Amino acid sequence: MSTGEQHDHTSASTRAGSTRDKGSGAGATLGLGAAVGIVGAVLGLLPWIVTGMHLPLQNLWEASIADARDMPIAFLPFNQYFVTFLAALLLTGAGVVGVTARRLRPRLGRPGVFAAFGALLLVHVVALVQTTVVTTAGLGMDSTVGTGGAISASEISVVALVVGSALTVLLGAGLVLLLALAPDGVAVVALALVAVALAEWLRGFVLPPATLSTGLQSTIAGWAWWVAPVVVGLGIAVTGVRSAGRVVGVLVALVVLLVGPALLTAVDGAAGMRVLAPYPLELVAFGSGLFGDVLGRGLAAVVLAAVIGWVGIALLRRRPTGRRSTGLRASDPPSSDPPSSGTR
């Protein structure tokens, strides 16, 4: 073989190896992103998983069942008394995926982020479909007074839970993209939404809905509400207020922290008032009353988050000069530029 032929053969082998390396690298990136999405989704469902995942007892269940352990396995807790817990499971999982993808963004790139997004969405859709099938199979179709006769209360209950859960899944998917890819000012708002859900997630972990509790469980569950302002305050600290966009983002995040817990409490209380279901105006009035009662605690949470954020910003400014890494901003990828000739 001539020298030219040897050179051409070597070049072709090098190009083929480079192509294989790029393909394997892309596959590893997508695999890592998918793993982040699946693990985050499962972590979000963990408070429900540890309970055994038996579908909560249903008022409209066709068969008479007194023990929840006799109910079928469901991936999501479909029940009007579990609506905020259900939302917390889905949104907390999305938050875990979004924050992790942002921290790993230099390694994942956009393809890896979208792989995490798709994996989370797949797990949530499978859970929603499985729970819908199990629930509709066990509910009896009746004509409860106040439903209009032609549509049963069971059908209304299932449709409301499915639609509400589907919207929450879509919201969670959007939060993943915002947390992973959006600028800091937008990401801190998404973090505030996740923080409100995380507080409810922790409450459900300590004290699942519709269960008997001890005094210690109730105390710990009560303190879980204050996790939200701590998380938001830390997010404000690492985001900072060095631009107009970040200032606006911080203000919106504080509004979310103010309104979010009160809104969850109002929805949770109204959803549990089945006796008011045929009377929408009364139901709205009841929920509005709960919203106003809890809003005072939201003000205290806003103050706490602002103080933590202000102290955190001050401490970060006092750090020695050099590169500062933040929890919301993805680390920059290592530079590929060769060192200068003067560098040893």
Side-chain angles (χ1 to χ4, degrees):
M1 182 182 294
S2 67
T3 304
E5 290 175 339
Q6 290 177 345
H7 177 74
D8 292 341
H9 178 72
T10 302
S11 299
S13 301
T14 302
R15 287 195 298 269
S18 177
T19 301
R20 285 194 297 270
D21 290 343
K22 289 181 179 179
S24 61
T29 296
L30 295 177
L32 177 61
V36 168
I38 293 172
V39 172
V42 173
L43 286 177
L45 298 176
L46 192 58
W48 176 238
I49 292 173
V50 298
T51 67
M53 296 198 303
H54 289 280
L55 190 70
L57 293 172
Q58 308 287 321
N59 294 326
L60 303 173
W61 203 249
E62 190 170 23
S64 178
I65 297 179
D67 191 340
R69 290 174 295 183
D70 296 328
M71 294 292 284
I73 298 295
F75 294 164
L76 296 175
F78 265 20
N79 189 286
Q80 69 267 30
Y81 300 109
F82 286 67
V83 289
T84 55
F85 180 53
L86 171 58
L89 297 177
L90 298 172
L91 295 181
T92 300
V96 171
V97 174
V99 172
T100 304
R102 192 177 188 91
R103 295 303 301 168
L104 296 178
R105 195 170 72 192
R107 183 175 178 183
L108 292 176
R110 284 183 176 268
V113 170
F114 280 101
F117 165 85
L120 172 90
L121 194 58
L122 176 63
V123 173
H124 282 175
V125 169
V126 169
L128 178 56
V129 171
Q130 187 271 347
T131 305
T132 302
V133 171
V134 169
T135 305
T136 53
L139 283 177
M141 298 297 124
D142 59 13
S143 297
T144 304
V145 175
T147 65
I151 304 176
S152 71
S154 299
E155 292 168 331
I156 291 178
S157 175
V158 171
V159 169
L161 287 169
V162 170
V163 172
S165 299
L167 292 175
T168 306
V169 167
L170 293 177
L171 174 60
L175 289 177
V176 169
L177 296 180
L178 291 178
L179 286 168
L181 301 174
D184 289 351
V186 178
V188 75
V189 176
L191 182 67
L193 290 169
V194 172
V196 173
L198 176 63
E200 182 65 25
W201 184 88
L202 290 172
R203 282 174 52 84
F205 208 103
V206 176
L207 181 58
T211 59
L212 298 176
S213 64
T214 64
L216 179 60
Q217 283 178 306
S218 298
T219 300
I220 296 175
W223 280 104
W225 283 112
W226 299 102
V227 171
V230 172
V231 172
V232 173
L234 294 176
I236 293 172
V238 298
T239 298
V241 289
R242 294 183 297 275
S243 67
R246 293 175 185 176
V247 171
V248 172
V250 166
L251 293 177
V252 175
L254 293 177
V255 172
V256 170
L257 184 60
L258 171 65
V259 177
L263 185 60
L264 282 181
T265 301
V267 170
D268 189 47
M273 291 298 293
R274 183 167 172 260
V275 67
L276 294 180
Y279 312 103
L281 294 179
E282 287 81 354
L283 192 63
V284 171
F286 177 78
S288 299
L290 291 177
F291 180 86
D293 292 340
V294 184
L295 203 59
R297 183 173 59 186
L299 290 172
V302 167
V303 172
L304 177 59
V307 170
I308 292 175
W310 177 76
V311 172
I313 290 173
L315 291 176
L316 288 175
R317 286 177 177 173
R318 289 177 177 270
R319 289 179 61 182
T321 58
R323 183 176 180 135
R324 297 172 181 171
S325 62
T326 67
L328 287 182
R329 284 184 289 172
S331 301
D332 295 331
S335 175
S336 59
D337 295 335
S340 63
S341 58
T343 303
R344 293 282 186 255

